[in-house]
C-alpha cells in the first residue's frame, strides 16, 4: 500500500495509490462509498497513530468496495487540480537523521578515520518539510553551498522505548524518500548540524509512504540521485554501516519513539561537496531521488 497526502483545490486529503499507480483513492470518501461511517482521521499522521487498525481498515475497504465505487472517489495523478504533499506535511517533532551511514560517503567527506563507530545522529526541523515537486528555496542570502543528499526514511508505526534490535523492524510503519538538503557552509561555521540542515524547504519528502509489507528487504534497495539528469549518487542499503534495526534501537535507548516519527537513514557517496571542485546546487537545478518501490522524489531549486 502506498499512502499519500494530497490537496485538491486547497482541501487536504489522505489517499492510497491504486494498483496501476496512476490514481489516488480518497480514503475517507471510500469509507462513505462502502457504506461506513467516516472513522479515519483527516491526516496521515493521525492515521498512523491508530496502529494496525489503519492498514487493516484500508485492506477491508479495498477488498469490500466495488471498482466502480472506487472510481467515483479517485483522482488521476495527472489531474492538474491534484497536488501531492509530503506524506506527513508537518511532523510532530524534529526528523531524526543518521550521518555518514555509508562508508564511501564518510570517506568523501573526510577520510577513513571519519567512518563512525556508533550511529551519528542529528535532526532537521519540521518546518523544513516540503512535498514532491515543490520548490526548494535557494537561500542566496544565507548560503553559497546548498547541497543534496538522497536518502530513504523510516516512519515509525508505534510508540517504543529501549527497543531491542531483534524487535526493531516491528516498530516500522513504512518507508519514504527524503532529500537531506544541507547548507555546507552553515554546517561548518556553526560546528553543529541543526542550522545547516533546517533551512526552510530543506527536507523534501515523498512521493509516497509505502507500507512495510511492500518492501521485502529494506536492506537491499538501490538508491539513485540525479541532478539535471546527471547521476550523482548510486548506492544500495546493503552498504549501510548501521542497519535500520540498530538505528532504531540506538535512538530508543532513553528516547521515546512515537508513531509518525521519521528517521532518515543516511546518504551514499556522490554529494556535491564530495566532488573536486564541488558541485553545489544552483538556481533552477532539478534533483531526483529514485528507489524501486518507493518512487521518484523530484524537486527544483527556485530560479
Amino acid at each position: 500500500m502506498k499512502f499519500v497526502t494530497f490537496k485538491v483545490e486547497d482541501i487536504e486529503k489522505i489517499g492510497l495509490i491504486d494498483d496501476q499507480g496512476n490514481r489516488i483513492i480518497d480514503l475517507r470518501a471510500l469509507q462513505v462509498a462502502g457504506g461506513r461511517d467516516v472513522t479515519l482521521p483527516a491526516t496521515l499522521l493521525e492515521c498512523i497513530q491508530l496502529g494496525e487498525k489503519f492498514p487493516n481498515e484500508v485492506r477491508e475497504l479495498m477488498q469490500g468496495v466495488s471498482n466502480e465505487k472506487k472510481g467515483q472517489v479517485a483522482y488521476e495523478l495527472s489531474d492538474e487540480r491534484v497536488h501531492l504533499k509530503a506524506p506527513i506535511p508537518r511532523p510532530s517533532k524534529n526528523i531524526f537523521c543518521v550521518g555518514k551511514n555509508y562508508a564511501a560517503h564518510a570517506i568523501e567527506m573526510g577520510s577513513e578515520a571519519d567512518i563512525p563507530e556508533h550511529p551519528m545522529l542529528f535532526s532537521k526541523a519540521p518546518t523544513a518539510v516540503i512535498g514532491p515537486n515543490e520548490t526548494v528555496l535557494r537561500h542566496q542570502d544565507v548560503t553559497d553551498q546548498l547541497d543534496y543528499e538522497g536518502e530513504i526514511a523510516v516512519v515509525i508505526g508505534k510508540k517504543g522505548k529501549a527497543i531491542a534490535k531483534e524487535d526493531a523492524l516491528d516498530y516500522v510503519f513504512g518507508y519514504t524518500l527524503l532529500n537531506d538538503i544541507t547548507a555546507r557552509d552553515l554546517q561548518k561555521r556553526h560546528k553543529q548540524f541543526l542550522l545547516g540542515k533546517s533551512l526552510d524547504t530543506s527536507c523534501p519528502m515523498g512521493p509516497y509512504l509505502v507500507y512495510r509489507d511492500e518492501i521485502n528487504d529494506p536492506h537491499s534497495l538501490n538508491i539513485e540521485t540525479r541532478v539535471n539528469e546527471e547521476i550523482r549518487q548510486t548506492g544500495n542499503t546493503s552498504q549501510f554501516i548501521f542497519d535500520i534495526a540498530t538505528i532504531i534501537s540506538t535512538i530508543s535507548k532513553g528516547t521515546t519513539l512515537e508513531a509518525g516519527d521519521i528517521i532518515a537513514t543516511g546518504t551514499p557517496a556522490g554529494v556535491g561537496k564530495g566532488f573536486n571542485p564541488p558541485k553545489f546546487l544552483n538556481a533552477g537545478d532539478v534533483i531526483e531521488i529514485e528507489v524501486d518501490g518507493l518512487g521518484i522524489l523530484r524537486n527544483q531549486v527556485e530560479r
Side-chain angles (χ1 to χ4, degrees), residues 23-74:
R23 295 191 307 171
I24 305 172
I25 298 171
D26 181 337
L27 288 176
R28 283 159 58 92
L30 188 63
Q31 285 190 305
V32 175
R36 305 188 184 201
D37 293 333
V38 177
T39 58
L40 290 177
T43 70
L44 195 49
L45 175 58
E46 291 172 299
C47 286
I48 294 167
Q49 291 168 344
L50 293 176
E52 290 302 304
K53 181 179 178 181
F54 171 50
N56 290 341
E57 170 71 5
V58 174
R59 285 193 199 97
E60 290 179 15
L61 285 168
M62 293 301 290
Q63 293 169 1
V65 178
S66 69
N67 288 333
E68 180 182 358
K69 288 184 177 179
K70 289 174 189 171
Q72 293 170 358
V73 297

Side-chain angles (χ1 to χ4, degrees), residues 271-288:
V271 299
K273 184 177 174 60
F275 287 90
N276 185 18
K279 295 183 177 182
F280 294 124
L281 293 170
N282 295 305
D285 283 351
V286 175
I287 314 115
E288 295 174 304

Side-chain angles (χ1 to χ4, degrees), residues 136-144 146 199-202 302:
V136 174
L137 297 178
R138 175 59 186 82
H139 293 290
Q140 289 181 331
D141 58 333
V142 178
T143 179
D144 294 319
L146 202 65
L199 296 177
D200 290 350
T201 73
S202 69
E302 71 172 332

